Amino acid sequence: QTVIRVGHGAQAGHPTHLGLLRLSEIVAERTDGEVQIEVFADRQLGEEREMVEGLQLGTVDMTVVSTGPLNAFVPEIAVLDLPFLFRDSQHAYGVLDGEVGQEILAKFEGAGILGLGYFENGWRHLTTKGAVDAREDLQGVKLRTMQNPVHMAAFEAMGASPVPMAWGEVFTSLGQGVIDAQENPITVIYTNSLWEVQSHVTLTGHVYGPHVILASQVVWDGLPEDARTAISEAMPEVIAFQRQESQRLEAEQIDLLRDKGMTVSDVDPAPFREAAQAVYSQFSDRFDPSMLERIQAQ
Amino acid sequence: MITALLLSFVLLLVLGMPVSFALAIASALALYAGGVPLSLIVQRMTASIDSFVLLAVPFFLLAGQLMARSGISRDIVGLSQSLLGHFRGGVGHANVAASVLMGGMTGSAVADTSSTGMAMIPPMIERGYPAPFTAAITAASSMISVVIPPSVPMIIFCVVTGVSVSELFMAGLVPGILMALGMMAATALVARRQGFPREPRQNARAILRALRSSLIALTLPVVIIGSIRFGVATPTEASVVAVIYAALVGRFWYGALPFRALRPLALEAAATTGVVMLMIAAASLYGLILTRAQVPQAAAAAIGTLTQDPTLVLLLVLVIYVVAGAILDLGANIIILVPVLFPTVTTLGIDPVQFGVVTVMGLALGLVTPPVGACLFIASTIAKVPLMVTARAAMPFLISTLALIVAIILVPEIATWLPYSMRR
Amino acid sequence: MTAPVRAVLRLWSCVEAVAEAAIVLLTVAMVAAAAAQIVARYAFAAPLAWSEELSRYLFVWLAFLAAWLAWRRREHISLDMLPGRVRPATVRLAELLVLAFAVVAMTKGMRLMGLSARQPSAALGLPMVWVYAGFYAGMGMVAGDILTGWLRAFDRRGSGTAPQSGPGAAT
Ligand code: NA
Ligand code: NA
């Protein structure tokens, strides 16, 4: 019997966890229980950066992580972090499952990592204490972002003061007023009870966050043939399922956030997009311009 | 692999190996037996302490050193004595009160035992208190300082679980004060039975003088909590505020802390930091191996088959804590046990903040129980009393604390009311 | 004490002095970085992008060097905090195991060091190998402490002076 351990950083209710459980079911079924996939949520196998390193070392078999920490391993993936890159979900799916997405996955080979595909972490939206009806409302707002230079520059261009802060301190800091706002996918906003410290969700959808499915090349090469086939063949089905769950949960949790007393509102994204365009030229050395063109043309 | 892990750990401990190295070496053996690449050791041990929240540990320890050296701690002890000394067993009450006040400034029970122990045990023995009692009350009351914020073990709990540090801090306030009242009640009982001396009542002027000299010291907890409450600093950053404020007060108000004092104080705080951090690093490597083998899931399932009743589960957990606290250090226990228990406990609908308070209080009992009770050891050394004799004298205080923990299990609001009423 | 032994021990005390100075400097730098972070954000509303990461990495170094300091001062908590003497042979065995652990962890960790040399950190762009090097600094110092301790004891026995209880497990 073969045991494959998959770690991820999201909580057990996250669509990524559900997707991996589905993968485990399908693979067990198709190999008559010979291949067991064990899923570890909540950073149980380590932080995201650490798990990717673990793939290289062969101490982690598989992982699903967001693109942020992957910049250090495959710089080309930075293009996916650009704000307002994708028009909508269909555009994102098309690019990621198409030529560009697969090209980026292929780059992982050089790092001893096998790229298997893209789950969805979700569209990132803004939560704040006051209403954000226009870009001007972001002026001087202390906004927690990930430790990602492109995101920080984009929010600075939109007028906010970006604060890179450890996630463990965000909830408290929002509550006590150390920071005023943060940005994350709906699932993260909901599962972390941010309604207790934030009153508004503005559906900016400023960044689309993929969750990249990766395997350790060393471990993969050591797997029996039927295990590799079963996983590869199950992938498209599992990815479709995960994205569907992601969209279902996002819609469901937006309603739940309203029930909890949050004001959820749409906003015209055009002014935000315009301001954020500045980073496209500012960080042009970070990504392949032809790749960007192909994404935009798709 | 797991057998190798557990057996070698126990063997190494018996050999007299420091707990942190025993954890690390046992993990290395288990990894080797399981055919896992050993580069995981450097990676996990480093990554586990690469956390901004943990920075509060060296900072709060350094702030504690600055306070002890500058005379802030001495003034706090003096104030407690002038207020409570005239009751029967009054110096015992003062000892508890000093730990409450010091607890508001430092986050480590070991630091509290050392500073209040050195200041109070010798004079207590001089005044005719039995030495075992002086050691016992000093060690036991030190448990209060990890329950009243700030608290190093609470920070570790939050790092492991993702619970909000400031909410857990707030949740410790009421239980910490109740803990002190319980110990004072126990002191009164022991004092009457053993006929402890009374001190003459201090006149108002003496009390005022003591109050005035410690007034500036008493602003420190206000500054720490205030900087968090008013959005100046995160709970981690508040520890830096504590360092800077203690250094300024010590230098300019007390006229202590010459520049050359910096080096020994920094090294003193660093040595304790090294103990805590190596323990965290090693325990997290050990914990990762347990997780990979799905031991936590099995343990959770075992608890689940025993009972699904939240209260019973927490009582069961308390029993585990009392046993584990006797064997392992407080910080190591949090890192090894909490990841196992937390998912089970929260699935049953138990409040994470309540669980945090029960965890820190339950495991803190281990600080005062033999054979590895750090506070018990320090206090016994200062009072020159055998460890087991002090342990026996500490029984009344352990019982009063245990009763309080059971009360918090039955009535979570004792802990959760304050933080939840402050939300939004 | 023979001349080469004396030279080695003198060199070692220099290394120890440097490590202690590094601990003090790291502490001061961490306080400064964290304080700058608060002031920049609160007073100037201009949050710093690098301070959080910098203080974390300084802290990793501090933690491992401090682990050595605690080892040298016999402050790591062990079960035999019970009063009573530990037999020197047991102490030597414990030291041997710790030394073996340090050497194995560092040797096997070289693969990680190689991989992480090409991995820049998010804010400072610092290769992660510099962060992991903190482990090497701390454990290397522990190994050095054990070896020089043995050297001292061995030399003393050779010259006929009474052995002193060795470093290691006891608090
Ligand atoms: Na405290
Ligand atoms: Na005390």
Side-chain angles (χ1 to χ4, degrees):
Chain A
Q1 204 186 27
T2 311
V3 176
I4 298 170
R5 296 184 181 86
V6 194
H8 66 86
Q11 282 164 318
H14 194 279
T16 289
H17 193 73
L18 306 179
L20 288 171
L21 290 181
R22 170 57 73 89
L23 176 71
S24 172
E25 266 169 42
I26 297 178
V27 171
E29 193 182 299
R30 296 197 186 151
T31 59
D32 294 325
E34 271 307 296
V35 180
Q36 294 274 348
I37 296 183
E38 291 174 356
V39 187
F40 296 85
D42 263 333
R43 299 169 289 127
Q44 284 181 52
L45 294 190
E47 301 297 327
E48 287 192 329
R49 190 196 64 75
E50 198 186 346
M51 284 193 286
V52 179
E53 224 170 50
L55 297 177
Q56 297 182 309
L57 296 169
T59 53
V60 174
D61 304 333
M62 269 178 77
T63 185
V64 178
V65 294
S66 43
T67 47
L70 291 175
N71 281 284
F73 298 86
V74 172
E76 288 85 350
I77 205 164
V79 72
L80 299 181
D81 283 338
L82 283 171
F84 300 105
L85 176 71
F86 298 113
R87 291 184 298 276
D88 51 32
S89 296
Q90 288 319 310
H91 182 204
Y93 300 158
V95 168
L96 295 173
D97 300 342
E99 231 174 68
V100 175
Q102 299 312 305
E103 228 169 87
I104 291 174
L105 288 185
K107 302 262 186 218
F108 279 92
E109 214 173 292
I113 298 170
L114 180 72
L116 290 170
Y118 299 89
F119 277 173
E120 170 168 289
N121 191 18
W123 291 90
R124 300 181 79 87
H125 302 297
L126 212 57
T127 71
T128 45
K129 286 185 178 153
V132 177
D133 301 319
R135 190 173 70 80
E136 287 66 41
D137 295 328
L138 270 186
Q139 199 60 44
V141 166
K142 287 177 193 154
L143 188 153
R144 185 266 178 183
T145 66
M146 291 187 290
Q147 184 70 269
N148 180 322
V150 180
H151 289 188
M152 294 177 66
F155 279 109
E156 211 165 346
M158 292 181 217
S161 299
V163 183
M165 181 181 275
W167 179 245
E169 298 213 285
V170 171
F171 186 91
T172 308
S173 302
L174 287 169
Q176 313 295 354
V178 178
I179 47 174
D180 315 309
Q182 66 89 46
E183 46 89 43
N184 256 305
I186 293 291
T187 34
V188 176
I189 296 169
Y190 179 74
T191 46
N192 287 283
S193 314
L194 288 187
W195 64 82
E196 284 173 5
V197 289
Q198 298 272 266
S199 52
H200 288 72
V201 182
T202 310
L203 299 172
T204 46
H206 49 274
V207 169
Y208 174 81
H211 251 178
V212 191
I213 315 162
L214 303 167
S216 163
Q217 191 70 58
V218 193
V219 174
W220 184 263
D221 293 342
L223 287 179
E225 182 67 48
D226 60 332
R228 282 183 287 188
T229 321
I231 295 173
S232 303
E233 283 180 359
M235 237 357 124
E237 182 186 340
V238 172
I239 289 173
F241 168 79
Q242 195 271 353
R243 288 174 181 165
Q244 198 185 317
E245 282 298 286
S246 169
Q247 297 198 339
R248 181 181 65 82
L249 281 169
E250 172 168 330
E252 223 174 84
Q253 288 170 344
I254 285 181
D255 287 340
L256 287 169
L257 287 174
R258 282 206 179 93
D259 291 348
K260 297 286 184 189
M262 285 191 102
T263 310
V264 184
S265 49
D266 285 306
V267 71
D268 174 20
F272 295 91
R273 186 185 302 135
E274 239 161 74
Q277 281 303 319
V279 301
Y280 278 66
S281 50
Q282 193 182 340
F283 290 92
S284 57
D285 57 328
R286 286 195 160 228
F287 45 81
D288 177 4
S290 69
M291 206 176 243
L292 175 62
E293 270 167 38
R294 278 152 67 206
I295 293 174
Q296 286 171 330
Q298 196 161 334
Chain B
M1 184 166 164
I2 291 307
T3 327
L5 188 71
L6 299 175
L7 265 181
S8 53
F9 174 57
V10 173
L11 256 167
L12 291 165
L13 279 187
V14 172
L15 194 65
M17 179 81 72
V19 179
S20 45
F21 279 104
L23 284 168
I25 294 171
S27 305
L29 291 173
L31 289 174
Y32 181 74
V36 182
L38 292 176
S39 39
L40 187 65
I41 299 171
V42 178
Q43 193 204 24
R44 184 81 274 241
M45 287 184 75
T46 308
S48 62
I49 49 179
D50 177 11
S51 153
F52 187 73
V53 179
L54 282 180
L55 257 81
V57 175
F59 289 151
F60 277 131
L61 290 172
L62 183 59
Q65 287 292 332
L66 290 166
M67 283 183 270
R69 174 67 198 262
S70 61
I72 293 179
S73 312
R74 184 197 57 221
D75 280 353
I76 296 291
V77 168
L79 175 68
S80 313
Q81 295 214 28
S82 71
L83 285 174
L84 296 166
H86 58 279
F87 291 105
R88 188 178 290 285
V91 190
H93 294 300
N95 196 323
V96 177
S99 283
V100 173
L101 295 175
M102 288 301 294
M105 308 181 200
T106 71
S108 147
V110 172
D112 182 64
T113 312
S114 321
S115 61
T116 62
M118 292 301 271
M120 301 194 86
I121 290 178
M124 278 175 88
I125 296 177
E126 233 165 72
R127 285 172 206 192
Y129 284 85
F133 170 78
T134 64
I137 186 70
T138 303
S141 62
S142 297
M143 291 191 291
I144 297 170
S145 51
V146 292
V147 180
I148 286 185
S151 157
V152 169
M154 280 185 177
I155 293 169
I156 299 175
F157 179 90
C158 293
V159 169
V160 174
T161 58
V163 166
S164 144
V165 176
S166 73
E167 289 199 346
L168 190 54
F169 273 11
M170 285 302 142
L173 208 52
V174 173
I177 290 165
L178 291 176
M179 223 170 139
L181 292 176
M183 286 187 196
M184 285 180 166
T187 302
L189 257 152
V190 176
R192 175 147 350 138
R193 194 179 301 162
Q194 302 193 10
F196 286 168
R198 284 168 197 263
E199 303 282 311
R201 183 185 280 275
Q202 302 262 330
N203 60 25
R205 177 173 301 178
I207 293 177
L208 223 68
R209 195 166 51 226
L211 199 61
R212 201 173 51 224
S213 69
S214 50
L215 202 59
I216 190 81
L218 290 174
T219 57
L220 191 68
V222 178
V223 168
I224 294 175
I225 298 289
S227 67
I228 301 177
R229 273 303 285 154
F230 296 107
V232 179
T234 69
T236 306
E237 292 167 348
S239 61
V240 179
V241 175
V243 168
I244 294 172
Y245 191 72
L248 291 178
V249 168
R251 182 78 189 87
F252 297 108
W253 182 266
Y254 284 85
L257 299 180
F259 191 70
R260 63 174 187 282
L262 181 71
R263 196 184 124 90
L265 291 184
L267 289 177
E268 202 58 50
T272 315
T273 304
V275 173
V276 177
M277 289 309 142
L278 192 68
M279 189 82 83
I280 288 181
S284 126
L285 179 63
Y286 195 84
L288 178 64
I289 297 171
L290 291 178
T291 303
R292 285 172 57 98
Q294 305 240 355
V295 174
Q297 289 83 339
I303 293 179
T305 54
L306 276 175
T307 171
Q308 290 284 327
D309 179 65
T311 310
L312 287 180
V313 168
L314 275 182
L315 289 172
L316 189 67
V317 166
L318 181 58
V319 174
I320 297 174
Y321 283 168
V322 171
V323 175
I327 308 169
L328 258 184
D329 169 76
L330 174 54
N333 267 325
I334 293 178
I335 295 158
I336 293 173
L337 293 175
V338 170
V340 180
L341 297 169
F342 192 70
T344 321
V345 164
T346 43
T347 332
L348 290 175
I350 294 167
D351 187 281
V353 171
Q354 178 203 11
F355 178 62
V357 172
V358 170
T359 298
V360 171
M361 289 181 73
L363 288 172
L365 293 171
L367 292 166
V368 192
T369 52
V372 290
C375 295
L376 190 68
F377 175 74
I378 297 168
S380 300
T381 311
I382 299 174
K384 302 188 180 64
V385 180
L387 204 69
M388 293 310 291
V389 177
T390 311
R392 206 169 312 127
M395 279 312 282
F397 312 111
L398 288 172
I399 291 170
S400 75
T401 307
L402 205 56
L404 177 60
I405 303 174
V406 173
I408 294 173
I409 290 176
L410 298 174
V411 189
E413 287 77 13
I414 297 173
T416 58
W417 177 79
L418 189 60
Y420 289 169
S421 69
M422 287 167 78
R423 278 190 178 178
R424 227 247 239 182
Chain C
M1 198 179 277
T2 59
V5 171
R6 210 178 305 132
V8 168
L9 292 180
R10 199 175 309 132
L11 180 69
W12 177 246
S13 44
C14 290
V15 175
E16 284 183 326
V18 170
E20 282 195 353
I23 289 175
V24 178
L25 287 177
L26 285 166
T27 307
V28 173
M30 276 164 53
V31 171
Q37 174 168 316
I38 304 172
V39 173
R41 188 190 54 231
Y42 187 74
F44 300 109
L48 303 176
W50 49 267
S51 54
E52 195 256 9
E53 195 179 273
L54 178 67
S55 22
R56 267 192 292 122
Y57 293 164
L58 294 173
F59 174 58
V60 167
W61 273 77
L62 174 81
F64 283 116
L65 284 176
W68 155 72
L69 188 67
W71 165 267
R72 193 169 74 114
R73 297 178 170 198
R74 324 276 178 269
E75 282 183 13
H76 285 292
I77 299 160
S78 60
L79 270 193
D80 54 22
M81 296 207 309
L82 301 155
R85 272 183 62 97
V86 192
R87 292 185 34 225
T90 325
V91 173
R92 291 283 178 256
L93 179 60
E95 287 173 357
L96 182 67
L97 287 168
V98 170
L99 180 67
F101 167 78
V103 171
V104 169
M106 288 195 281
T107 320
K108 294 289 181 183
M110 284 317 287
R111 261 200 70 213
L112 176 70
M113 299 296 272
L115 284 170
S116 59
R118 291 192 301 267
Q119 193 199 132
S121 71
L124 301 166
L126 181 83
M128 288 304 290
V129 63
W130 288 106
V131 182
Y132 288 120
F135 180 95
Y136 282 73
M139 287 302 119
M141 289 299 293
V142 169
D145 186 84
I146 293 172
L147 288 172
T148 50
W150 287 353
L151 187 63
R152 211 172 278 127
F154 180 77
D155 192 65
R156 209 178 286 118
R157 190 172 306 165
S159 59
T161 5
Q164 189 197 328
S165 85
T171 304

